[in-house]
Amino acid sequence: MRLLFVGGIAIASLVPLTALAADLGAAAPASAPGWSGFYLSAGGGAGWWSADQHTDFGGIPSEPSAHTTGSGGFGTLGGGFDWQFAPSWVAGAFADVQFGDIRGTIRAPFEEYSGTTNNRLNYAAGLRLGVLAAPNALIYVNGGYTHADFSGSGLDPTPLVPLSVAEHRHDGWFVGGGIENSLDFIGVASPGWFMKTEYRFADYGRETARMYVAATGAPDNAISFKPTVQTLSVSLVYRFNADRAGGVDLH
């Protein structure tokens, strides 16, 4: 619930920005930035994950099950292409990668083992659709495919022999939304440079994280792990076409 609350705050925060964008749009220069073209982005943020898991005995799930969480920070790099197909509408395709340390607990409830796992790498590709609240401010939603890598670790040996868990990889989908605006929007004269703030929710399929005996490497059972990941990020964006007038006539 806490994670959904955080996401709700992120989306709700876009509402006053929309009103502000509309007010500033009245004072915008006659030549609006162009939104059609390629761009690159770089930034960082905070992330939270939660996961349902149980001990997996060769495909047979055990009871009880467990629910664990993690949190941390990350950096992100990305790029894409946008097309302004109407005076106030922008559509595009993009890809990005997140790398960092969103760390939490992994657990095999039946055998009473637990350790830590780190969501260290995510990458995604998708589409977005946005509306211009002002010529230099875009509010958008997005969605698509995403992949996540979680690290392996040692497990608490009590009460049995010490085990370790292998790294595990997950494929899934994401949805999100945000606001992107030129730096002129906040009073910084810097042609081509924009800033975006984005919330994203990702849901991943259930995969097994193999356990093995730490001393010998002999295989043991596995941990079934199904995570969801939420992120909130801020990035700088450079648009290669932004010095050209866009498709918005302000007169």
Side-chain angles (χ1 to χ4, degrees):
M1 292 299 294
R2 185 191 71 174
L3 302 184
L4 295 178
F5 176 72
V6 170
I9 291 175
I11 296 299
S13 67
L14 301 180
V15 175
L17 287 174
T18 305
L20 179 61
D23 291 340
L24 294 182
S31 180
W35 289 87
S36 293
F38 291 96
Y39 63 87
L40 296 175
S41 64
W48 304 264
W49 61 256
S50 62
D52 294 318
Q53 54 211 273
H54 53 251
T55 307
D56 188 333
F57 297 98
I60 302 174
S62 71
E63 293 294 343
S65 61
H67 184 80
T68 61
T69 61
S71 61
F74 64 90
T76 180
L77 296 172
F81 180 86
D82 280 334
W83 174 48
Q84 188 171 350
F85 62 92
S88 297
W89 291 93
V90 176
F94 67 94
D96 56 41
V97 59
Q98 298 174 350
F99 47 92
D101 186 13
I102 309 178
R103 186 179 299 270
T105 302
I106 187 170
R107 184 173 296 141
F110 185 86
E111 296 179 312
E112 300 183 27
Y113 280 104
S114 66
T116 58
T117 185
N118 174 18
N119 179 206
R120 58 190 178 186
L121 176 68
N122 297 334
Y123 55 81
L127 303 174
R128 75 172 181 171
L129 177 66
V131 62
L132 293 172
N136 55 1
L138 177 73
I139 295 176
Y140 64 88
V141 294
N142 58 17
Y145 163 81
T146 181
H147 174 91
D149 285 356
F150 286 78
S151 67
S153 77
L155 298 175
D156 185 343
T158 304
L160 305 174
V161 297
L163 296 181
S164 295
V165 63
E167 63 182 14
H168 41 111
R169 301 177 175 86
H170 302 257
D171 296 309
W173 54 268
F174 75 90
V175 293
I179 183 168
E180 181 176 336
N181 55 269
S182 71
L183 295 188
D184 292 342
F185 180 86
I186 58 175
V188 179
S190 187
W193 288 97
F194 289 66
M195 178 180 71
K196 69 175 179 178
T197 302
E198 180 177 306
Y199 166 78
R200 188 176 292 182
F201 172 87
D203 188 289
Y204 294 97
R206 185 177 297 278
E207 299 291 342
T208 56
R210 284 291 172 191
M211 293 190 292
Y212 55 93
V213 179
T216 65
D220 197 82
N221 298 308
I223 299 174
S224 176
F225 193 84
K226 188 180 189 307
T228 61
V229 179
Q230 299 183 71
T231 57
L232 184 63
S233 64
V234 177
S235 299
L236 282 176
V237 180
Y238 183 76
R239 292 184 166 274
F240 294 97
N241 67 318
D243 57 340
R244 301 200 305 268
V248 180
D249 185 358
L250 302 179
H251 298 292

